[in-house]
């Protein structure tokens, strides 16, 4: 017998307000007390009070040049033809930059405009105005002037100005100390995962790493605690101890209402649960509580939910406790490349990649699962789909919160289409040649890539589409789908396709015909993928029918997903590339060699943006690296086909 | 007898190329060796190699929900009216999120869709598709896939993905270690300056603080060494020792060619001086050298030159030694508010404040002296005036390299006009009420402020302009200069104006008439300033003539500059506000009470941007703080006049 889920569906703003109200009732979550730190340690910290100049700068009239100090009145009338002589020691004194101006002097003449006559006299050939080349007292700052206001993030130049104004230390808000408590008996450290094989069910604990990194970026100081098992008493003790010692406590996860989710119950015992369940996706099972005057957040355990709910709530809190308002992320206007349906009633935060193609910025949604941490790595931005909306149409304008520097987007090459490990290698080698080059690749199959080019969503597409009529790769598809474009087919490599089976090939499969054996459970690729086209072509050539193959209807979207299905035993065989088999330690029975091209509109191929890619295709290091993958023939790499 | 200056005038790009070539000849200034650091310490570091997934994530088929694992095939046909019963343990197994899917099962049904009949049986009322609510092996990442490329700055989410992919540590470029050697016998620490009065000629050493802050921002690690006196032997020893221990050495200053500038000579002895003198302003006397395979930079000593030359050369070097290209700063297009003349032959870097007024962004040049560190604090951006240009016209479009977050500009209130300490206090108190509010104020006198409003360069102007005819403040000037605008006059305070003299008033001055005494040396304010108008009005009222006052023609631009002139003895008396006298410990003889208003176009006054300012004017805390300054009457603060 299981408990059912009883979570609220509080709208985002209502959740924040209720949390604020709970914090305010006990005066929690406010700016922390100030501490004094030396200027050398104050960079990036936030001033807790205004700072006024204690000293003027300069604090005396100073020579601004190396030269002679003079009385301007005594230089009147000096010209090229009527030079003026001055007696050193009486009328003129040699002086270096920064030296105090002698009391009776009021100007400085640069050394190069001074003629030395002898040890006692100099000659000048131009008059000088009073205060010329003099930095007068307080020229920079006068005592009592404001140097920096309160709530100001100290930059290097602020440190200089504060020192010049006579401050050796500053009062800054203490950094919020955040305790991160991972929960779950299944958690293992990444260090442990490196030394022993992971058991099924064991999960590498990495959410606390991401949270600690976020906390540091926002100015807080995080302490990652050891994972706590899902036991009520233990959890209560851990939270109680953390609340005593830290300014904010984050419990991750156990924030839902499942059989082993005790966080909410424990927090309700210890303090006040202001919010349990927010109508956002991902991130719904979220707890916002106050215990002994300290904010306690129960963040959901799926990594994308963890990161996103931390962004939404923890970030604001950490800024606020340093007297700041969290800055808004920069945004960019983009066009949504695909239709996105979103559930009514929830604010959805969609991760997208962004591509600047021609004059448009195109946002392509990434896979939405809350467990896909790689989608956060690949995301260029977030699109918020409001809870009263059912989604976004293809081609609709959207505002994207940027997760990257806009300059990075300007140099990003967008590849959408068939995926291949050689593309990953390309992305990596490109950075070796041009450090800030970037390849963003989305995996939608060969046909999907050509459609993306047609919609102008990408700069290039990886494609290995075999024409069943002609037996030639890519040409006919490009001619049919992109008739008006000047398209280049640039070969990346020829690669082997074959059967992926368990080690030692237990079913002894050696040909396509073997797939019709009754004990075979096949796993297929999706329609439109190059591998699917290849399979169908050869089935036809061999007079085989799709109904003869058990599992022909089961579709996966990547080579790797096919290999994973074989490894886990849910299928006994799939068709794919050697690299996928090798990645999971599976056996590979080569059947075909296929051509894998980059399909690139000429205007992109010849653009500056693609220079790093062109250079990489020409580099020996890259060619050798692809060849070393095994199963690749790189003899035509970079050739126009 | 003095040496003359022999510096080159190398264009910026030529200087960089020559330095690069010198570095390349000895393979210096390249990416540093990698070091392995744990993920917990890797945030913000740059990968020195690509990282590929060691493990798939998840590494097994995992339940994505709390519920029961089933065989999808056995649920076919289940509907609301024809529920399907399953036997627990055989056909269904309770499972929690993250648990491994039992080998024979292929789908999960959420707990809330399951009806428990008894301890052995459950009932479901809908069929489920295979792989429903299952996170399949490698769904996130498959072993061998690229996790992050090389030359990638690690963000919190990257740390999570690396851990999920089985990496416990990463190879990152070592942080460049930078030694900063301040030179000069006149340097004192800011700590020393706090405990004892500064002697004329003593300079607080703060350039190394700014440099260390910059180095840290760029990813390096700086060591500030103790100041080294300007002695050739000592300097040589310090540089030799630093070159052995650090990756980059910065000597500051002594980079010019004056009597005590040994840096270039010492570096030429120890290694190769590639560049000495770059045609930039500020920053001309700059040394770029290579010693024992290490880059050594001699940066000029004026703080603005130090910061700017570090930006131009040290920044690129530090990024490069981490395998990176220094990111370009974001830019904004703006209109130059004033004409700026710039010398031919030098690239000038002009500090500007930026104001978003109506639909335009206006760039206002800050004072250009290389010693004015406060201009760096106040600067919102830099405008580069190329060396083939003689300057920029008023109203000309310029591209500004931003030194602040663009969001900060959007919330900045721009005040141009007469300055008053109460405005500094306003800037500070505003941030107390609204943490990210910002007041940028430029000091050009009352009349200059009204002109700025007319040009739409500011949101408001501080003004205390007395009409000599009517004896009324501001109204007639506003009516004459801004006839087409709907302008509000908002009182800030009444303040005392009086004579600023040395303590104990040695000349015993008590009235305007006393200024005509023969021993008096007066210091005046500039034409158009409210104080100048006030003086002229009262001189006329008293039948006094300007020629009777010695020093009437000497003009300063601020109250503080007037006070500083009196303190230093270059004048014996000036007219100004009490706060200025108090700031420098001078005596004040009150003569007049004047009205100081904020002149604000109604469209700005009523805008959201000015809300924090309106709120501050209404706050008791601010009112009390201004009253506490002394010499202020705050009875009409915030009133429309």
């Amino acid at each position: 017998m299981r408990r059912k889920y009883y979570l609220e569906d509080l709208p985002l703003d209502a959740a924040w307000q209720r949390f604020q109200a709970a914090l305010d009732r006990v005066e929690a979550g406010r700016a922390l007390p100030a501490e004094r730190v030396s200027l050398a340690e104050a960079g990036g910290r936030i001033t807790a009070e205004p700072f006024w100049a204690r000293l003027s700068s300069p604090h005396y009239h100073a020579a601004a040049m190396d030269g002679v100090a003079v009385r301007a009145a005594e230089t009147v009338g000096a010209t090229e033809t009527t030079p003026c002589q001055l007696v050193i020691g009486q009328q003129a004194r040699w002086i270096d930059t920064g030296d105090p101006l002698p009391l009776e002097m009021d100007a400085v003449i640069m050394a190069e405009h001074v003629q030395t006559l002898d040890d006692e006299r100099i000659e000048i050939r131009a008059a000088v105005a009073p205060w010329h080349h003099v930095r007068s007292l307080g020229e920079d700052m006068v005592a009592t002037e404001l140097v920096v206001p309160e709530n100001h993030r100290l930059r290097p130049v602020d440190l200089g100005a504060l020192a010049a104004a006579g401050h050796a230390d500053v009062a800054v808000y203490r950094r919020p100390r955040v305790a991160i408590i991972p929960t779950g008996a299944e958690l293992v450290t990444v260090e442990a995962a490196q030394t022993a094989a992971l058991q099924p069910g064991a999960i590498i604990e990495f959410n606390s790493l991401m949270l600690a990194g976020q906390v540091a970026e926002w100015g807080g100081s995080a302490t990652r605690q050891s994972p706590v098992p899902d036991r009520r008493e233990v959890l209560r003790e851990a939270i109680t101890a953390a609340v005593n010692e830290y300014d904010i406590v984050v419990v991750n996860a156990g924030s839902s209402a499942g059989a082993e989710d005790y966080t909410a119950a424990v927090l309700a015992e210890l303090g006040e649960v202001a919010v349990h369940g927010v109508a956002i996706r991902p991130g719904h099972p979220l707890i916002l509580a106050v215990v002994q005057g300290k904010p306690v957040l129960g963040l959901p355990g799926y990594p994308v939910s963890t990161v996103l709910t931390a962004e939404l709530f923890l970030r604001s809190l950490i800024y606020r406790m340093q007297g700041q308002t969290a800055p808004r992320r920069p945004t960019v206007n983009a066009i949504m490349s695909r239709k996105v349906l979103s559930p009514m009633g929830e604010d959805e935060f969609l991760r997208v990649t962004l591509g600047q193609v021609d004059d448009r910025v195109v946002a392509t949604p990434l896979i939405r699962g809350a467990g896909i941490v790689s989608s956060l790595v690949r995301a260029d931005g977030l699109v918020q789909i409001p809870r009263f909306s059912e989604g976004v149409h293809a081609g609709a304008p959207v505002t994207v919160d940027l997760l990257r520097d806009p300059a990075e987007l300007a140099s990003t090459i967008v590849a959408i289409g068939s995926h291949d490990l050689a593309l990953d290698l390309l992305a990596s080698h490109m950075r070796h040649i041009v450090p800030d080059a970037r390849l963003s690749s989305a995996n939608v199959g060969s046909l999907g890539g050509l459609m993306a080019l047609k919609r102008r969503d990408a700069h290039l597409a990886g494609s290995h589409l075999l024409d069943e009529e002609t037996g030639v790769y890519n040409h006919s598809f490009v001619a049919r789908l992109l008739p008006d474009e000047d398209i280049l087919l640039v070969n990346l490599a020829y690669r082997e396709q074959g059967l992926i089976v368990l080690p030692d090939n237990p079913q002894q499969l050696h040909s396509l015909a073997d797939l019709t054996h009754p004990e075979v459970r096949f796993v297929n690729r999706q329609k439109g993928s190059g591998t699917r086209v290849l399979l169908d072509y050869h089935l036809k050539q061999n007079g085989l029918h799709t109904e003869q193959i058990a599992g022909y209807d089961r579709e996966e979207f990547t080579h790797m997903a096919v290999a994973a299905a074989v490894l886990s035993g849910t299928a006994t065989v799939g068709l794919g590339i050697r690299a996928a088999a090798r990645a999971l330690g599976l056996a590979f029975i080569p059947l075909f060699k296929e051509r894998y091209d980059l399909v690139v509109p000429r205007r992109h191929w010849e653009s500056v943006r693609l220079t790093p890619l062109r250079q990489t295709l020409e580099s020996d290091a890259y060619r050798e690296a692809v060849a070393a993958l095994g199963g690749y023939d790189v003899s035509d790499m970079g050739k126009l086909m």
Side-chain angles (χ1 to χ4, degrees), chain A:
Chain A
M1 186 80 172
R2 288 297 179 104
R3 283 185 293 137
K4 296 291 164 60
Y5 289 72
Y6 296 108
L7 290 184
E8 300 174 283
D9 277 309
L10 268 184
L12 188 53
D13 43 359
W16 182 245
Q17 281 160 25
R18 213 199 270 177
F19 187 36
Q20 288 302 308
L23 289 170
D24 285 346
R25 274 195 292 280
V26 294
E27 296 188 5
R30 308 224 166 145
L32 292 171
E35 61 183 3
R36 291 205 85 84
V37 299
S38 75
L39 288 183
E41 292 159 359
R45 302 294 294 272
I46 316 292
T47 53
E49 56 187 61
F51 287 89
W52 311 86
R54 284 183 177 161
L55 305 174
S56 297
S57 175
H59 56 98
Y60 58 95
H61 293 317
M65 286 283 175
D66 291 1
V68 291
V70 298
R71 283 182 286 273
E74 295 186 331
T75 69
V76 172
T79 66
E80 278 296 326
T81 51
T82 60
C84 162
Q85 291 189 8
L86 298 173
V87 177
I88 293 175
Q90 294 169 17
Q91 297 176 293
R93 291 172 185 271
W94 285 106
I95 195 168
D96 284 327
T97 306
D99 286 347
L101 200 66
L103 200 62
E104 72 281 14
M105 310 295 193
D106 63 0
V108 173
I109 301 174
M110 283 171 73
E112 45 267 71
H113 297 154
V114 174
Q115 196 71 28
T116 303
L117 299 178
D118 52 39
D119 280 358
E120 289 175 3
R121 288 171 313 142
I122 58 166
E123 187 175 271
I124 55 167
R125 292 171 179 269
V128 64
W131 308 106
H132 192 65
H133 289 326
V134 174
R135 298 189 60 218
S136 56
L137 188 156
E139 174 190 274
D140 185 356
M141 286 175 286
V142 180
T144 76
E145 278 185 341
L146 182 67
V147 186
V148 290
E150 68 182 280
N151 291 331
H152 176 76
R153 184 179 298 276
L154 291 168
R155 305 160 298 170
V157 294
D158 298 321
L159 304 179
L162 282 164
H167 292 276
D169 50 27
V170 280
V172 294
Y173 293 114
R174 185 155 63 66
R175 289 190 186 283
R177 292 183 298 233
V178 183
I180 301 170
I181 308 177
T183 72
E186 72 285 6
L187 298 180
V188 297
T189 66
V190 62
E191 287 78 11
Q194 276 201 320
T195 53
L198 280 178
Q199 296 305 308
I203 292 174
I204 296 175
E205 197 288 296
F206 61 84
N207 283 355
S208 68
L209 264 177
M210 298 194 291
L211 284 168
Q214 290 180 300
V215 166
E217 283 193 349
W218 302 328
S221 123
T223 302
R224 295 165 62 208
Q225 302 201 341
S226 298
V228 166
D230 307 302
R231 282 175 24 223
R232 196 167 173 138
E233 281 312 309
V234 184
L235 187 60
R236 181 182 335 187
E237 271 171 41
I239 294 175
T240 306
V243 160
N244 282 328
E245 201 175 337
Y246 294 90
D247 302 310
I248 302 175
V249 177
V250 174
V251 182
N252 179 244
S255 64
S256 191
E260 295 177 4
D261 296 330
Y262 300 117
T263 310
V266 166
L267 289 175
E269 277 173 34
L270 295 175
E272 179 189 356
V273 173
V275 172
H276 190 193
V278 181
I280 54 175
R281 170 179 298 205
H284 183 217
L286 169 70
I287 305 169
L288 303 172
V290 187
V291 176
Q292 291 173 37
K294 304 285 177 67
V296 180
L297 286 76
L299 301 186
Y302 275 128
V304 179
S305 304
T306 308
V307 167
L308 191 82
T309 51
E311 279 274 343
L312 291 173
F313 291 93
L314 185 57
R315 180 171 182 257
S316 302
L317 203 55
I318 289 177
Y319 274 93
R320 187 174 134 154
M321 288 171 87
Q322 296 172 90
Q324 297 275 293
T325 306
R328 304 197 69 168
R329 291 193 178 284
T331 61
V332 70
N333 295 320
I335 301 295
M336 188 64 86
S337 72
R338 294 209 286 269
K339 180 176 181 175
V340 177
L341 292 176
S342 182
M344 287 282 282
E346 285 184 332
D347 280 297
E348 177 163 12
F349 293 86
L350 198 68
R351 286 140 278 157
V352 299
T353 62
L354 293 172
Q356 221 166 0
V357 182
D358 300 327
D359 52 350
R360 316 173 314 150
V361 177
V362 181
T364 302
L366 282 157
I367 183 168
R368 286 150 106 177
I372 314 287
V373 70
S374 59
S375 69
L376 284 173
V377 172
R378 297 170 64 190
D380 298 320
L382 289 175
V383 173
Q384 183 174 358
I385 304 178
R387 63 182 199 278
F388 299 119
S389 158
E390 291 185 295
V392 181
H393 290 288
V398 286
T399 302
V400 185
D401 282 1
L402 279 176
L403 298 174
R404 289 187 199 278
D405 194 319
E408 246 184 301
L409 293 181
S411 63
T412 297
I413 300 169
V414 181
I416 299 184
S418 168
H419 183 254
D420 189 276
L421 267 182
L423 270 185
D424 275 359
L425 263 185
L426 183 63
S428 188
H429 274 254
M430 223 167 63
R431 289 180 87 84
H432 199 68
I433 295 177
V434 181
D436 49 359
R438 201 171 143 256
L439 179 74
S440 151
S441 63
N443 186 6
V444 299
S446 296
L447 212 54
L450 299 186
M451 298 306 294
L453 286 183
K454 192 178 178 65
R455 288 192 308 265
R456 298 193 295 138
D457 289 353
H459 301 108
L460 60 95
S463 179
H464 53 114
L465 286 167
L466 179 62
D467 187 325
E468 297 192 25
E469 310 291 316
T470 64
V472 175
Y473 280 86
N474 296 329
H475 288 275
S476 60
F477 292 87
V478 167
R480 191 165 68 238
L481 288 168
L482 299 159
D484 304 325
E485 285 265 25
D486 184 1
I487 299 282
L488 303 177
L489 295 178
V490 183
N491 184 250
L492 189 64
Y494 300 93
R495 61 182 193 180
E496 293 171 333
Q497 287 262 19
L499 300 180
I500 297 173
V501 293
L502 283 179
D504 302 329
N505 194 359
Q507 295 182 323
Q508 289 300 307
L509 309 174
H510 298 288
S511 68
L512 281 191
D514 291 347
L515 296 182
T516 60
H517 289 183
E519 73 274 25
V520 158
R521 276 169 299 152
F522 185 67
V523 53
N524 207 347
R525 289 291 306 283
Q526 85 279 15
K527 292 173 202 71
S529 69
T531 303
R532 176 71 164 262
V533 172
L534 185 75
L535 174 68
D536 293 347
Y537 173 79
H538 285 288
L539 288 177
K540 203 168 160 188
Q541 295 277 319
N542 287 279
L544 297 166
H545 295 284
T546 60
E547 311 85 60
Q548 296 174 277
I549 301 173
Y552 179 88
D553 293 333
R554 175 173 172 195
E555 296 184 351
E556 293 287 351
F557 276 76
T558 66
H559 294 286
M560 290 298 184
V562 165
V566 173
L567 177 66
S568 66
T570 63
T572 62
V573 60
L575 185 67
I577 59 174
R578 183 187 288 271
R582 195 165 50 181
L584 299 188
L586 298 169
F588 180 75
I589 320 299
L591 293 184
F592 322 112
K593 185 171 143 179
E594 66 171 2
R595 202 177 100 196
Y596 185 95
D597 292 338
L598 303 180
V599 182
V600 200
R602 182 186 293 274
R603 70 180 190 286
H604 295 318
W605 180 251
E606 292 172 352
S607 71
V608 173
R609 187 190 296 256
L610 261 67
T611 306
L613 184 138
R614 291 196 309 271
Q615 289 176 342
T616 308
L617 288 177
E618 288 165 10
S619 85
D620 289 338
Y622 175 60
R623 180 184 300 258
E624 285 159 19
V626 174
L629 284 175
Y632 286 84
D633 169 357
V634 295
S635 54
D636 281 344
M637 179 180 284
K639 273 196 195 148
L640 298 182
M641 304 310 282

